Amino acid sequence: DFCLGFPSSACYFMNSIKSLSADYISMEKTKVCIVEVMGRETGWLAASASLIEKEFRPDLIFIPEQNLTLKDILTKVKKVYEKKHKCLIVASEGIKIKEIKIKEKDSHGNLLLEGYVGKYLQEQIQNKLNIGCRVILPSLLTRSNPFFISKVDQEMAVRVGSFAFKAATNGRTGIMVGIKRILNNPAKWCLTMPPLEKVEHKTRFMDSLYIDKEGEFTKYFETYLRPLVNDLVPISTTNGSVDLLKFKK
């Protein structure tokens, strides 16, 4: 149903975009702003911004599962900017545009995507639309934040860890602990043990249930994501700084 950490990352990202949007709303005219977020193959994290209240929702959200061309993107940006004199964009780092050609790879053999898409779109918007543009990269902050912890995420992390430990001590191997949703309202999950070879190196994409032919997010996506982000874990602070646990090695 979801990867551990995703609900909390979505909570952080949604609140970050909402805060940024509030700043944008306060200005009558300003630059286009592109927020490039993690999403090498899929757009789950970027799509989470679609759940923000309409007033604070980004103007455009681009993800890898959409059939995008540079012309499409520039047309959409121009239309929004001519109407509002500003435009807030959320884009997955892995959006598929044929004009973007990345060859450099990291030590794991993955293409070095971070920052490239944002910079490329910034240059195109500035050069072809003659509109100022800035790029923001939340990067690792999206997954390392201690401020917006999903309650479901925390509870399932404990369940999964405990389940995996018991399975390992009972001699189970070659499996991965999976999270399967069995109810939507109220949302409930059970744990499964699929063989490793059935899930390793597999990617779950956003399919037509969650994104329509026009590239818009459906009500089913909200039904899926809402239970994961609705409740947050209270945080503890000392002298204005969040308290973090440190384990001895």
Side-chain angles (χ1 to χ4, degrees):
D1 190 66
F2 65 91
C3 172
L4 291 177
F6 166 68
S8 297
S9 291
C11 287
Y12 175 83
F13 188 64
M14 289 166 61
N15 280 279
S16 297
I17 294 299
K18 184 175 180 179
S19 299
L20 180 59
S21 180
D23 183 74
Y24 252 52
I25 290 172
S26 70
M27 294 179 279
E28 290 188 6
K29 184 177 181 178
T30 187
K31 297 178 179 180
V32 170
C33 181
I34 300 170
V35 182
E36 182 196 297
V37 67
M38 290 178 174
R40 175 175 295 276
E41 301 290 342
T42 68
W44 297 97
L45 195 53
S48 69
S50 68
L51 265 67
I52 301 170
E53 304 95 306
K54 189 173 181 179
E55 179 185 0
F56 300 102
R57 204 172 295 161
D59 298 299
L60 300 168
I61 301 176
F62 299 131
I63 66 172
E65 289 88 341
Q66 295 165 329
N67 294 317
L68 296 168
T69 65
L70 178 59
K71 183 179 179 180
D72 292 335
I73 291 175
L74 293 179
T75 299
K76 290 175 183 291
V77 172
K78 183 179 180 181
K79 183 178 179 180
V80 171
Y81 198 83
E82 286 179 346
K83 179 180 179 180
K84 301 177 66 174
H85 305 296
K86 51 195 167 189
C87 182
L88 178 57
I89 302 168
V90 166
S92 297
E93 63 184 0
I95 58 174
K96 305 294 190 292
I97 305 174
K98 66 179 182 179
E99 291 87 353
I100 295 181
K101 294 177 173 57
I102 305 172
K103 296 182 179 180
E104 192 175 357
K105 296 183 179 182
D106 62 19
S107 58
H108 301 288
N110 298 314
L111 293 175
L112 287 173
L113 300 180
E114 187 180 38
Y116 194 95
V117 164
K119 183 179 179 182
Y120 175 80
L121 292 180
Q122 179 187 37
E123 292 173 348
Q124 297 302 311
I125 290 169
Q126 291 180 157
N127 295 335
K128 295 187 177 181
L129 299 182
N130 197 29
I131 300 173
C133 184
R134 63 167 57 89
V135 179
I136 296 175
L137 300 178
S139 191
L140 298 181
L141 290 173
T142 309
R143 74 180 187 202
S144 65
N145 95 90
F147 311 109
F148 295 96
I149 305 301
S150 158
K151 189 175 181 181
V152 167
D153 201 8
Q154 186 185 72
E155 291 175 350
M156 290 306 297
V158 173
R159 283 181 61 185
V160 168
S162 176
F163 191 87
F165 177 79
K166 290 178 181 177
T169 54
N170 286 328
R172 296 300 300 268
T173 186
I175 61 165
M176 178 177 285
V177 179
I179 302 171
K180 181 179 180 180
R181 189 177 302 208
I182 53 178
L183 282 177
N184 257 331
N185 190 19
K188 290 185 179 181
W189 297 265
C190 69
L191 300 182
T192 62
M193 293 189 291
L196 195 58
E197 62 269 17
K198 287 191 175 183
V199 292
E200 63 178 339
H201 304 305
K202 300 292 193 304
T203 300
R204 182 185 177 188
F205 296 95
M206 294 188 69
D207 57 27
S208 57
L209 180 65
Y210 297 141
I211 182 170
D212 63 26
K213 293 180 180 179
E214 283 70 45
E216 300 298 324
F217 305 104
T218 69
K219 62 181 181 179
Y220 299 105
F221 177 65
E222 181 170 3
T223 299
Y224 160 75
L225 186 58
R226 186 65 69 187
L228 302 182
V229 299
N230 259 6
D231 297 313
L232 298 177
V233 176
I235 62 171
S236 174
T237 62
T238 301
N239 299 324
S241 178
V242 65
D243 295 327
L244 298 176
L245 293 177
K246 185 177 181 181
F247 295 95
K248 292 183 178 179
K249 294 182 179 180

